[in-house]
Amino acid sequence: MSLGSGLRVRKEMGGHHLIDDEEEQVYLLTPAAKNDGDYVSRKSRRRKLSSNPYFRLLVIMVFFTSFAFVFAYFILPSLSLVGPPRCVDTPDRGYQCQPQISHNWGQYSPFFSVPSDISDNVPPGCKITFAQVLSRHGARDPTASKTKAYNSTIQKIKANVPQFPSGKYYFLNTFEYTLGADQLTLFGEREMINSGIAFYDRYEQLAKQSTPFIRSSGEARVVESAQNFSQGFHQAKTAEQVTDTNYPYPILIIPEADGFNNTYGPSSLLPPFPLPHSQGISTTQLTQFLTDSLSHSLCTAFESSSTYTAISSKAQQTFLSTFLPAITTRLNTDLGPTANITASDTINLLDLCPFTTVATLATSLSPFCYLFTEQEFIAYSYYQSLGKYYGYGPGNPLGPTQGVGFVNELIARMTNLPVVDHTSVNHTLDDSEQSFPLGSRLYVDVSHDNDMTGIFSALGLFNGTAALSNTSIQSTETTHGYSASYTVPFAARAYFEKMECPGEKEELVRILVNGRVMPLETCGGDALGRCTLEKFVQSLSFAREGGKWNLCFSV
């Protein structure tokens, strides 16, 4: 075939192609064209195909199929990483749900595993010989006074704002306040079941062969928390095919009424627990002479003197002025001039974020949480930390003294010696082998956040923390790990361990607070956070000498 200038023939799969280099045209040669020079333009064939409706349909189907494949396998997974996270509550890590928010609710945060500079694993070759857990009760409804205040705030705002705008405030149009008062929530029950599971799993070698000795403060939510804890412990034990004939475990309940010495809450008994020498004595009569090492109610000055009671409120009020006015102004701007939201209303709305979250199974955060920014919750959490630090912690001259009784009981349990204490210890119970047994390997005490704060202070766990600023936020790095959410969240758990390790002549002691291994600086803790038992006890001279108990009655 004769070809003009600039034309050439290329043989490719599917036929011969005529290439016009000058026009940049490509022609497909038909079989006849190879003989007589006829040809068909590829462009012409494309026009015919593109005008075919079936071809168009095929192209559309291929496009959407390809897009669906790419979206499902590449785009969707990446979107799930930045979308609302799935909220979970597990025995080991606790509540994980937008931690930049839910871990910044102070003492209203659900338990979560706190970051630790020291591994919480049992050191290689070591064997745990003793374990005590001190726990706060699980998540609850607001206290009676708080639930009344929260309801008033909601009713006031709904009355002042007839129609809430679309967006983050819209849910308030249909929101009804239904929270109760003081009671353990279903989520709180689950927290404590998980806590019992975690305790069994960590100390399995002891737990397989032992039944924990359990005490509880007398308030209903605390008793129920102790029961839930024992349920979780039993559940984990039987899951390992271990026979457990002692369940339900006896629980010693210590009342919280005024006038009782109480190491963790002003005692009645949850059957079938036997009390020594109590035959023929009613529970009401019995509680008239019982004392309890887990409560601060006996220290008169601490309870009633403004010298001590006003310290935390003053620190909190000073700090509120640094962040609350701006939030209050924003809320009033967003909701209009009739809203009339006050500073107290703003704090109540902040509180409603955690309380309405834990009132459910907490599979997602409450809509109240999205009314505020992450930075605002950081300030809110610090505000709560000031309340604990200056109310029951090292910032209050009598704060650490409130925890002395329990610390002396802990010394007795760890050394297997009788309790020596002249403060809040209940000697009616603690002098009895039945109600305060020595030589057990597992102990469980369930109490409140304020009592735990005093106990941590009496132990000197935060002696290295400088007085908290009431004018600016300090990070947990600055406070050496102190914050309310890090120490006393709902279902908080502090573990006190003894262990035997190779090359050590004496048992070693270690303390973990919500998963964080405490450095135990007061007794010269090693790189793994351990002190010898002797040095640990020596470091607790503040508690052994009664703290400042003499000031409790100098009003």
Side-chain angles (χ1 to χ4, degrees):
M1 180 176 67
S2 176
L3 298 176
S5 175
L7 296 178
R8 54 190 172 86
V9 175
R10 183 174 70 210
K11 184 175 182 179
E12 294 181 356
M13 185 179 297
H16 292 74
H17 293 76
L18 181 64
I19 311 299
D20 184 343
D21 293 324
E22 293 180 358
E23 299 294 331
E24 297 181 347
Q25 293 270 11
V26 179
Y27 303 95
L28 175 63
L29 299 177
T30 66
K34 286 185 285 185
N35 296 319
D36 57 18
D38 293 337
Y39 59 85
V40 179
S41 168
R42 183 178 289 178
K43 277 188 175 181
S44 175
R45 177 167 292 188
R46 283 177 178 169
R47 291 192 194 99
K48 291 180 180 179
L49 285 173
S50 62
S51 63
N52 188 320
Y54 295 104
F55 177 76
R56 290 180 176 177
L57 179 62
L58 177 63
V59 170
I60 293 172
M61 291 176 63
V62 170
F63 172 78
F64 280 105
T65 301
S66 301
F67 178 79
F69 174 83
V70 171
F71 183 82
Y73 287 92
F74 297 99
I75 299 176
L76 187 60
S78 64
L79 288 177
S80 66
L81 292 176
V82 298
R86 180 170 175 264
C87 300
V88 296
D89 185 61
T90 61
D92 56 340
R93 298 188 64 221
Y95 191 56
Q96 300 297 325
C97 182
Q98 295 180 250
Q100 68 278 17
I101 295 176
S102 65
H103 294 180
N104 280 306
W105 294 339
Q107 69 274 16
Y108 302 143
S109 290
F111 162 79
F112 61 93
S113 182
V114 172
S116 180
D117 293 332
I118 304 171
S119 171
D120 66 347
N121 293 331
V122 177
C126 295
K127 181 178 70 172
I128 300 294
T129 59
F130 168 98
Q132 152 94 57
V133 59
L134 173 63
S135 173
R136 185 188 179 192
H137 58 75
R140 59 163 172 80
D141 287 328
T143 59
S145 60
K146 287 289 186 69
T147 203
K148 183 178 179 180
Y150 299 159
N151 189 26
S152 295
T153 290
I154 292 299
Q155 299 311 317
K156 166 190 165 181
I157 295 174
K158 288 176 75 73
N160 290 350
V161 183
Q163 180 65 36
F164 292 93
S166 59
K168 60 185 180 182
Y169 297 101
Y170 190 76
F171 79 96
L172 289 168
N173 286 303
T174 56
F175 177 78
E176 296 292 335
Y177 189 87
T178 59
L179 298 182
D182 295 305
Q183 296 189 358
L184 194 68
T185 68
L186 288 176
F187 176 76
E189 292 179 11
R190 187 177 69 184
E191 281 190 296
M192 294 307 298
I193 291 172
N194 282 342
S195 185
I197 293 172
F199 189 69
Y200 178 88
D201 287 346
R202 180 171 181 83
Y203 304 110
E204 182 176 357
Q205 296 309 308
L206 290 180
K208 281 182 177 180
Q209 309 163 27
S210 307
T211 297
F213 177 80
I214 305 174
R215 295 189 305 180
S216 167
S217 287
E219 199 155 356
R221 65 177 179 268
V222 186
V223 176
E224 291 168 15
S225 291
Q227 292 171 321
N228 293 138
F229 180 97
S230 66
Q231 179 184 342
F233 183 94
H234 171 72
Q235 177 181 317
K237 193 169 189 176
T238 54
E240 294 293 323
Q241 308 301 315
V242 177
T243 302
D244 191 12
T245 58
N246 293 321
Y247 185 79
Y249 311 129
I251 300 174
L252 176 64
I253 304 175
I254 307 177
E256 299 184 35
D258 291 341
F260 298 110
N261 290 355
N262 183 336
T263 49
Y264 61 45
S267 184
S268 59
L269 302 170
L270 182 65
F273 198 95
L275 187 72
H277 316 301
S278 63
Q279 291 82 358
I281 301 177
S282 69
T283 299
T284 301
Q285 292 172 316
L286 194 60
T287 58
Q288 291 177 358
F289 63 84
L290 292 181
T291 57
D292 181 357
S293 56
L294 293 175
S295 172
H296 50 79
S297 60
L298 283 182
C299 187
T300 307
F302 182 75
E303 292 294 314
S304 60
S305 171
S306 60
T307 302
Y308 306 104
T309 60
I311 297 174
S312 64
S313 59
K314 287 180 179 178
Q316 286 186 305
Q317 287 302 315
T318 300
F319 181 69
L320 279 180
S321 65
T322 69
F323 81 99
L324 202 65
I327 303 176
T328 304
T329 298
R330 173 172 58 78
L331 292 173
N332 281 310
T333 300
D334 290 350
L335 296 178
T338 62
N340 193 29
I341 293 174
T342 65
S344 295
D345 293 329
T346 302
I347 284 293
N348 290 344
L349 291 172
L350 280 159
D351 285 351
L352 281 171
C353 165
F355 278 115
T356 52
T357 296
V358 302
T360 68
L361 288 178
T363 54
S364 62
L365 299 186
S366 162
F368 281 99
C369 301
Y370 300 103
L371 302 183
F372 307 97
T373 67
E374 293 177 13
Q375 188 58 39
E376 287 167 350
F377 276 116
I378 291 173
Y380 169 75
S381 187
Y382 189 74
Y383 161 80
Q384 301 291 12
S385 295
L386 288 173
K388 296 304 172 190
Y389 182 86
Y390 287 105
Y392 301 88
N396 189 303
L398 281 179
T401 296
Q402 309 315 304
V404 162
F406 178 84
V407 173
N408 286 328
E409 288 183 331
L410 179 66
I411 292 172
R413 287 172 170 174
M414 284 189 157
T415 59
N416 201 25
L417 294 171
V419 178
V420 178
D421 181 87
H422 64 271
T423 62
S424 61
V425 156
N426 178 334
H427 282 285
T428 302
L429 297 179
D430 285 11
D431 291 347
S432 166
E433 177 63 23
Q434 292 156 306
S435 52
F436 193 81
L438 297 174
S440 294
R441 295 193 281 182
L442 297 175
Y443 293 91
V444 178
D445 285 300
V446 186
S447 187
H448 298 277
D449 52 345
N450 293 338
D451 303 315
M452 291 179 68
T453 300
I455 290 167
F456 295 157
S457 302
L459 286 163
L461 297 184
F462 296 99
N463 283 4
T465 300
L468 299 190
S469 169
N470 61 4
T471 57
S472 62
I473 298 172
Q474 293 179 301
S475 68
T476 50
E477 289 78 13
T478 301
T479 64
H480 294 278
Y482 182 83
S483 79
S485 61
Y486 271 32
T487 55
V488 289
F490 285 133
R493 54 180 83 152
Y495 294 161
F496 305 88
E497 304 175 337
K498 285 198 304 179
M499 63 183 72
E500 295 175 346
C501 297
E504 297 290 342
K505 296 180 180 180
E506 188 180 355
E507 286 182 304
L508 300 175
V509 175
R510 193 161 72 156
I511 299 176
L512 292 77
V513 177
N514 300 317
R516 179 193 174 204
V517 179
M518 305 303 294
L520 295 188
E521 296 164 341
T522 56
C523 57
D526 65 13
L528 298 178
R530 305 170 303 177
C531 291
T532 64
L533 178 58
E534 181 181 6
K535 287 185 176 180
F536 177 70
V537 173
Q538 287 176 349
S539 73
L540 300 176
S541 58
F542 176 82
R544 289 187 289 109
E545 294 169 5
K548 298 179 180 179
W549 194 250
N550 59 305
L551 297 181
C552 285
F553 310 102
S554 59
V555 178

